Structure formats: C-alpha cells, structure tokens
Amino acid sequence: MFELASDSSGEPVQPLWEGKLEWEGDKEKVTVRNAGGKEFKEEAVVKEVDRKTSVEKMLQKLWQTPTQIIGDRSEIALIGHRIVHGGPKLSQPTIVTSQVKQAISDVSLIAPLHNVAGIQGIELAEKLFPKHPQIAVFDTGFHRTLPKYAAVYPGPYHWFERGIRRYGFHGINHEYCLHRAAHILKREITSLKIISCHLGNGCSLAAISGGKSVDTTMGFTPLDGLMMGTRGGSIDPGILIHLMRVDGIGPKDLDDILNHDSGLLGISGISSDMRTVLTAAGKGNERAKLAFNIFVHRLQSGIAAMAASLGGVDVIVFTAGIGENSAEVRGAACAKLMFLGVELDQANNSSARPDVDIATQNSAVRVLVIRAQEDWSIARECVRLS
Ligand code: AMP
C-alpha cells in the first residue's frame, strides 16, 4: 500500500506496508512488513493452493489483528491491479468495468496462468471494496509502440490479422527502468538507447529508443525469448511438432512442459531458483553449470540482438530478482559485450546495491542495476487516473 500525492513524480517512495504470499510444496508462507519494519509472518500447510482464498484470508486476518500492522482498511482509496496480458484491445491503464473484465478474460487463453489470477484479484478486491475504483495496468502496454516488423511473426499474414503477434511483457518494469535510468544519468529520455534486462522468475529484454519500446524478447505469450526459471524461452517449434508426432503429446502436456518443467529447473533438475543453481554449480554439479551457461549464453545473444535493433546502445539495465542480486550473472553476461563498448567495474558489480551504475568510468555503455518497482509504478498510474 502506498500513500501518494496527486502530483507525485520522479523518486519512488516506500510502501506503507507490503504483503507476500509464497508456496513451496504444501507450505504456504505469508509475510507482511510495514514501513516501520514491523513484520507479521505465518506458515501453514495447505492441501491445494487457492490463491484467491489465501489472499482474502491474509487481508482479513491482518485487518482484524490487534497489532494492526497495516493500519485501517478505510484508508484505502484506490486499488491497482497488474494484468499481464492486455491482448489486442487493452494497452493503456484503465478503470475496470465489466467490458474491461471481459476483455481480460478473453485473452486468458493466451496467458492462462497470469490472466486468470488477475481476474481473481479484481473479483476479490471488488468483494472487499465494492465502492472503490479498481484500475488495471497492463504488462503488454509499454510494447504497443513496437514497429510492425518487430511485432508480426513471419507465419501466414492472417495470424497477425487474428491477433497472433508479438505483444511483449514486463512492460510496467521496463518503462519504470527507462525513467529511472534517465533520472540517474541526468539525461533526456529521448536521447537514450536502452536495453532493459528484466531477469526474475520470468525474464525478458526490451530495446528502448527515445522512450519507446522498439523490440522485446517475449512474444505472443510470456514463453518466448530468454531462458527463465521454469520456462525455456525460444526453442525450435519443430521440437513441438516432433513431440506431438512421436510421443502423441497434447496441448495440456505441452503447456506443462513449456511453462513448468523447462528452463533452469528443466536443465539443472534441481531448482528454478538461480541461487540454488549457482550454489550447486559452485559445488561442481555439471547440469547446474550447464543451466547457468545456457542462461548466460542466451542473455548475451539477446542483448546483442537488442543492440542491433537499436543501432547501438547507451545503457544496459539489470533489474528484477536475478538482475538486481546476481553479480555472477551480470558479470558473465557482460564479459562478452566488450565489442559493444561495455566495461564492468568488477568491484562495483560485486558490491552493487540498487540503484547504482556498475560500469567503469571509461565504459562507452553505462550499466545500471535498478530495483524493480512495479507496485509503485501501478500506484502512480492509479493516482494519475483518479
Ligand atoms: P523475481 O521474479 O523478480 O522475484 O525474481 C525471483 C528470482 O530472483 C528467484 O527465482 C531467484 O532465482 C532470483 N534471485 C533472488 N535473489 C538472488 C540472488 N541473490 N542471486 C541470484 N538470484 C537471485
């Protein structure tokens, strides 16, 4: 929860409180922290994960608790929702109406995991706050400026006509990083060519020129592009035809393999978490080493491709869980980018605390580590629309 003035701009502010729900096996962990550092933590065993019920329980409990660490629910004026896929109809932040909800549901077939959760969040908020405006902000929105040659897949043209095109994701954070980078470097947004590397559980790159997204690695769905925690990113589509023909695999199993059994987890066989993969690689686990090497190789190729789309690069931004925290990934990714003029200050990379510049003074390209601030960006959009 954020308290923002109507003219708030520039610097992100700390939330008054934030809550996190995590699931690991049959355990459900709740962590809520307020601005004063007071924490509420709870762990429970759950038979089956039901995110909507869990979020509702968490909020009800926190508002009833005598410690009141998150204040009173009457303080809440507006509710913002991160919606992953806006599809062909929704790109700008918008007040949620029944038509908007329908349009979000319509694209659930393309991003089933994400958009179904988004609709559940909206319905829960409508139940808890029936009189409050709900605002939807779309991860695809920032990429609406992609030139047609970057957005259209070279299949039959009628794919594009029926909405099968590159949409791109993580736009809320890519856009935030663009503004933050310009602010840190004291440069005009219009003068910068930026490659934003969002490396978290999901990973994507955005090529940003003059403040506009001109290329990105995720596509029609968040499966495309870089290697991720449990998603493999771009693979030869012929593999899918082969699996369907030879193993008789259907869409449900393909979906599971591509969304849940691939990426760092699929290759290492250990974990989707880069920290665990790095620890295992450090102890000599060959498959963990391979997972790391594929991740870095694809990241390097992706950055070089984005630089080509931009015709050069002034700034590379590393953001999200891996981008903000892993000096190993940043160091390895930049090691082969000297030809672009990238030179990392190794000491600054190792000790980086976002937001910070980790390039040497002589580097032709600035390399920034920027903390993802999606919640704050969404809160600002809410204030702007209210
Ligand atoms: P996010 O989706 O932005 O929350 O990022 C989550 C991912 O960040 C986790 O799955 C980890 O792989 C990664 N991560 C977080 N901290 C670290 C770290 N210190 N070193 C490497 N990876 C990290």
Side-chain angles (χ1 to χ4, degrees):
M1 175 167 151
F2 290 89
E3 184 170 25
L4 296 183
S6 54
D7 62 347
S8 60
S9 59
E11 293 284 314
V13 297
Q14 287 302 310
L16 296 179
W17 61 267
E18 56 189 330
K20 195 156 115 185
L21 267 166
E22 291 168 292
W23 293 273
E24 213 179 296
D26 63 350
K27 286 206 193 86
E28 180 175 279
K29 285 194 254 177
V30 179
T31 315
V32 179
R33 191 176 299 115
N34 71 12
K38 232 182 189 180
E39 254 189 9
F40 169 91
K41 276 190 173 189
E42 198 174 78
E43 203 172 292
V45 173
V46 285
K47 277 199 202 111
E48 207 174 322
V49 173
D50 174 358
R51 288 175 158 77
K52 191 176 172 188
T53 311
S54 299
V55 175
E56 182 168 7
K57 260 192 345 213
M58 173 183 87
L59 291 174
Q60 300 285 17
K61 195 179 294 171
L62 285 161
W63 276 309
Q64 282 155 15
T65 172
T67 54
Q68 284 278 310
I69 80 159
I70 64 170
D72 198 283
R73 61 191 286 177
S74 64
E75 293 167 344
I76 292 171
L78 293 162
I79 296 143
H81 299 268
R82 176 185 171 192
I83 301 296
V84 168
H85 211 314
K89 292 198 188 127
L90 301 165
S91 58
Q92 302 285 0
T94 180
I95 294 180
V96 175
T97 60
S98 51
Q99 288 93 329
V100 168
K101 275 193 338 195
Q102 188 56 52
I104 295 170
S105 292
D106 287 345
V107 272
S108 285
L109 257 184
I110 313 176
L113 295 178
H114 297 102
N115 271 32
V116 170
I119 284 288
Q120 284 180 344
I122 290 173
E123 283 172 352
L124 172 61
E126 283 175 339
K127 183 175 146 192
L128 296 175
F129 302 95
K131 301 219 167 86
H132 291 53
Q134 315 278 334
I135 287 151
V137 187
F138 302 95
D139 259 324
T140 42
F142 179 56
H143 302 295
R144 64 188 171 273
T145 51
L146 286 182
K148 215 168 163 188
Y149 56 76
V152 180
Y153 285 106
Y157 188 75
H158 64 78
W159 281 6
F160 178 64
E161 290 171 320
R162 57 186 274 217
I164 299 177
R165 50 163 288 169
R166 185 182 300 284
Y167 288 98
F169 298 86
H170 296 136
I172 299 167
N173 192 40
H174 287 310
E175 186 169 17
Y176 166 74
C177 286
L178 143 76
H179 288 279
R180 190 76 185 137
H183 180 79
I184 292 167
L185 298 171
K186 300 188 174 52
R187 294 272 305 267
E188 288 295 321
I189 282 168
T190 45
S191 74
L192 289 174
K193 290 177 176 172
I194 302 178
I195 299 173
S196 170
C197 310
H198 180 110
L199 309 175
N201 285 315
C203 301
S204 75
L205 305 178
I208 304 165
S209 181
K212 291 189 175 144
S213 173
V214 294
D215 204 356
T216 191
T217 54
M218 280 182 167
F220 176 58
T221 72
L223 278 173
D224 202 0
L226 299 178
M227 183 181 187
M228 313 178 213
T230 59
R231 288 169 264 171
S234 307
I235 56 164
D236 178 355
I239 297 171
L240 307 182
I241 301 167
H242 178 79
L243 291 175
M244 287 190 278
R245 263 200 207 118
V246 176
D247 297 351
I249 288 185
K252 162 85 179 64
D253 288 337
L254 273 183
D255 195 279
D256 277 348
I257 294 168
L258 298 174
N259 270 304
H260 304 299
D261 301 335
S262 301
L264 292 175
L265 175 66
I267 297 298
S268 72
I270 300 172
S271 175
S272 63
D273 191 311
M274 183 59 91
R275 287 165 290 198
T276 314
V277 171
L278 281 167
T279 307
K283 289 182 183 157
N285 182 301
E286 289 302 326
R287 279 185 41 194
K289 278 192 219 167
L290 178 63
F292 176 79
N293 289 338
I294 300 174
F295 186 93
V296 169
H297 168 66
R298 290 184 159 233
L299 177 56
Q300 287 165 335
S301 314
I303 291 174
M306 292 294 122
S309 287
L310 289 168
V313 53
D314 301 307
V315 188
I316 296 176
V317 175
F318 287 99
T319 180
I322 299 172
E324 289 161 28
N325 296 301
S326 180
E328 288 97 325
V329 169
R330 293 189 302 257
C334 291
K336 282 195 189 160
L337 300 179
M338 297 274 288
F339 76 99
L340 288 175
V342 176
E343 200 179 291
L344 267 201
D345 181 313
Q346 300 304 336
N348 287 349
N349 180 37
S350 300
S351 62
R353 294 278 168 277
D355 298 344
V356 67
D357 187 343
I358 55 169
T360 62
Q361 286 210 332
N362 291 333
S363 177
V365 176
R366 303 321 307 159
V367 181
L368 303 181
V369 183
I370 295 182
R371 189 175 309 290
Q373 300 270 9
E374 283 147 328
D375 297 353
W376 179 76
S377 303
I378 293 169
R380 261 199 3 170
E381 289 299 342
C382 290
V383 172
R384 205 176 52 80
L385 267 182
S386 65

